Amino acid sequence: MDYRSERVTVAVDRSGLLPNLYTGAITINSNGGSAEIGVSMLVSDNIPPDPPLGLTSEWGNSRVFISWTPNTEEDIWRYNIYRADGGQQVLLDFTVHPITSYLDVAVNNGTTYYYTVTAIDTAQNESAFSDTISVTPRGPKAFYISNDGSDDSSGIGSIEAPFASIQRGISAVMLGDTIMVHPGTYHENINFNGNNIVLRSAGGASATTIDGGDLGPVVTFSGGENASTVLRGFTLTNGHSDKGGGIFCTNSSPTLEDLTITLNDADDMGGGIYIENSNANLSDLTINANSSKNGSGLFLKNADILMTKTVISGNKSSNTFGSGGGIYSMNSNPVLINVTITGNMSFYGVGIYTRASNWTLKNCILWANGFYQDDNYPQIEFDTFGGVSNIEVTYSVIQHGVTDGIADYYHGDVIASHVMEVSPLFVSPLYPDWGSDPTAEG
């Protein structure tokens, strides 16, 4: 048999072909017959992805967090993160697609860092650099607010150049910062916007007022603030809302200290304070002369609060058949220590109205809560439709005692020890001038 070899060259137009491995066959015919030869062709990917877009940063104490928009190419493999602190960009780390964020904790406060990101595809083609951003992390600091300050470019929140508004200070903070407010009256409605910071006055509640201007809650916590968030040393007044005229707090657990919450109103719940889904701590509060349909001083819903050294007085239901002149609690577990509840007005639960809640009262006073000048009402009343409540009360004073001062309607348990029904002999008048109409001011 006669064999011989020949070189066969096949030209292929690869225009329009995507990167891939292509296979096929070539048939060779000769006088002795025909043969089929398998062939393959690799079209390589030499085109890099586009640079990532939308690079942004957040920074804090010894930390920098960067994020960017994911690339849209289907063959993205990973993202390279480059950092420089004044010199050349150096590869810092990478993330595997689709992760488009990175936390850098190997940074020093006060040093400026420059970040850029590239995209790499499965063929290991690397894109050009994204835009570069600069970040200077820092530790906690104090910002200052004054009536003589400025919110324009001349105010930077320092002692020498303070901001003019509290909300401007909140917009400049980061985790762990403190805002110090000089004495005066500030006409605004503030929202902590999820910032875990300390907001305090320099002169205390008697010298520093936040006036809500009847435009909403004076203070709002709704961004998941935790116990490290502190509000201390203010008078909160002239707030108006459907819920929480003075303070509206939901899904957050701040620390509230040394506050006077007065002359606020809510259309429905919590004239002074509304707290929902919270483990807030409240101490050294005066909750006075607020108004709402239910829970005129304080309304709790799914709230496990600790309240100490607080006076709740002179709050009034705005509805003829309102409940909880002092406190209304629903599905909550309040702990009250050294709390005085007096001179509050509603038709049901003049001092405390409780619904499916478990209470602990220690060293508390409930006295002279009533309906207008009639204080011949139980100071604590159980709701009879919304679930069972339980109260443990020790070393306290309750007008009319346990038997007549707590109306449980067999809808829960009362555990009482060392409870007195002797007048605490308050010096101040027990009742504000409520007039004869529960919907009227006063």
Side-chain angles (χ1 to χ4, degrees):
M1 183 176 291
D2 185 17
Y3 293 94
R4 51 177 197 170
S5 62
E6 297 286 345
R7 179 183 296 275
V8 178
T9 302
V10 179
V12 178
D13 182 5
R14 298 189 300 177
S15 300
L17 293 178
L18 297 175
N20 205 342
L21 177 63
Y22 293 87
T23 61
I26 298 175
T27 301
I28 299 177
N29 297 308
S30 68
N31 292 335
S34 64
E36 189 174 86
I37 302 173
V39 295
S40 63
M41 178 180 65
L42 178 64
V43 178
S44 298
D45 179 3
N46 297 315
I47 301 174
D50 292 331
L53 300 174
L55 185 61
T56 61
S57 67
E58 298 177 11
W59 45 266
N61 185 15
S62 299
R63 57 183 289 275
V64 173
F65 179 80
I66 63 172
S67 61
W68 57 93
T69 303
N71 280 50
T72 58
E73 294 95 336
E74 295 182 355
D75 60 342
I76 296 298
W77 170 36
R78 75 181 202 183
Y79 300 96
N80 280 354
I81 299 154
Y82 294 84
R83 187 186 76 182
D85 57 4
Q88 185 176 359
Q89 294 278 5
V90 176
L91 178 62
L92 174 66
D93 208 338
F94 68 89
T95 66
V96 177
H97 182 76
I99 298 173
T100 56
S101 63
Y102 183 78
L103 176 63
D104 185 6
V105 295
V107 295
N108 297 317
N109 289 335
T111 299
T112 299
Y113 296 91
Y114 301 87
Y115 293 88
T116 187
V117 178
T118 62
I120 299 177
D121 62 21
T122 53
Q124 300 193 38
N125 298 305
E126 185 170 12
S127 74
F129 288 120
S130 69
D131 291 339
T132 299
I133 56 172
S134 62
V135 187
T136 307
R138 66 164 175 81
K141 64 177 290 185
F143 291 90
Y144 295 86
I145 315 296
S146 172
N147 285 148
D148 298 325
S150 174
D151 286 346
D152 61 23
S153 58
S154 63
I156 60 174
S158 65
I159 296 177
E160 299 79 10
F163 294 129
S165 68
I166 298 170
Q167 195 64 50
R168 175 65 183 88
I170 292 175
S171 70
V173 300
M174 70 171 203
L175 177 69
D177 283 348
T178 295
I179 298 177
M180 182 70 73
V181 182
H182 289 290
T185 298
Y186 297 84
H187 296 274
E188 53 183 309
N189 307 84
I190 66 171
N191 191 322
F192 274 68
N193 291 325
N195 291 295
N196 293 317
I197 59 172
V198 175
L199 173 59
R200 58 171 299 180
S201 69
S206 62
T208 316
T209 297
I210 306 175
D211 187 323
D214 206 35
L215 297 175
V218 181
V219 179
T220 295
F221 300 97
S222 60
E225 296 86 356
N226 60 33
S228 68
T229 300
V230 179
L231 178 65
R232 179 188 302 136
F234 294 92
T235 292
L236 310 179
T237 191
N238 202 19
H240 173 79
S241 181
D242 182 50
K243 300 176 181 178
I247 295 176
F248 176 79
C249 175
T250 181
N251 301 314
S252 304
S253 299
T255 299
L256 309 178
E257 299 176 344
D258 184 26
L259 302 173
T260 297
I261 302 161
T262 184
L263 297 174
N264 303 283
D265 70 275
D267 295 331
D268 194 3
M269 309 169 184
I273 307 176
Y274 179 90
I275 299 178
E276 181 177 357
N277 299 330
S278 173
N279 299 309
N281 289 325
L282 302 84
S283 180
D284 295 285
L285 307 186
T286 298
I287 305 172
N288 172 258
N290 303 285
S291 176
S292 65
K293 179 180 177 181
N294 297 309
S296 306
L298 169 64
F299 193 100
L300 303 174
K301 181 178 180 181
N302 302 321
D304 299 342
I305 68 160
L306 171 63
M307 173 180 280
T308 61
K309 296 181 289 184
T310 290
V311 175
I312 301 174
S313 66
N315 302 286
K316 181 186 75 170
S317 174
S318 57
N319 185 278
T320 302
F321 299 104
S323 302
I327 304 175
Y328 188 120
S329 176
M330 176 189 300
N331 302 111
S332 299
N333 300 292
V335 176
L336 275 56
I337 302 174
N338 295 327
V339 174
T340 296
I341 303 172
T342 184
N344 301 286
M345 188 197 84
S346 62
F347 191 78
Y348 299 106
V350 293
I352 292 174
Y353 189 83
T354 177
R355 178 179 181 181
S357 297
N358 298 304
W359 289 77
T360 299
L361 306 178
K362 184 176 182 180
N363 294 332
C364 293
I365 298 173
L366 286 97
W367 198 272
N369 301 285
F371 190 62
Y372 297 101
Q373 277 67 34
D374 183 0
D375 62 1
N376 192 29
Y377 279 73
Q379 300 298 291
I380 302 173
E381 186 169 354
F382 284 40
D383 179 271
T384 57
F385 301 103
V388 173
S389 290
N390 299 290
I391 292 180
E392 181 178 357
V393 52
T394 58
Y395 300 100
S396 296
V397 177
I398 298 179
Q399 188 174 18
H400 310 307
V402 174
T403 302
D404 297 322
I406 302 177
D408 60 20
Y409 303 115
Y410 304 102
H411 215 66
D413 293 326
V414 177
I415 300 174
S417 174
H418 300 87
V419 175
M420 298 182 292
E421 52 181 302
V422 178
S423 172
L425 300 176
F426 291 124
V427 175
S428 301
L430 297 181
Y431 295 104
D433 181 12
W434 281 326
S436 58
D437 181 0
T439 63
E441 298 293 330

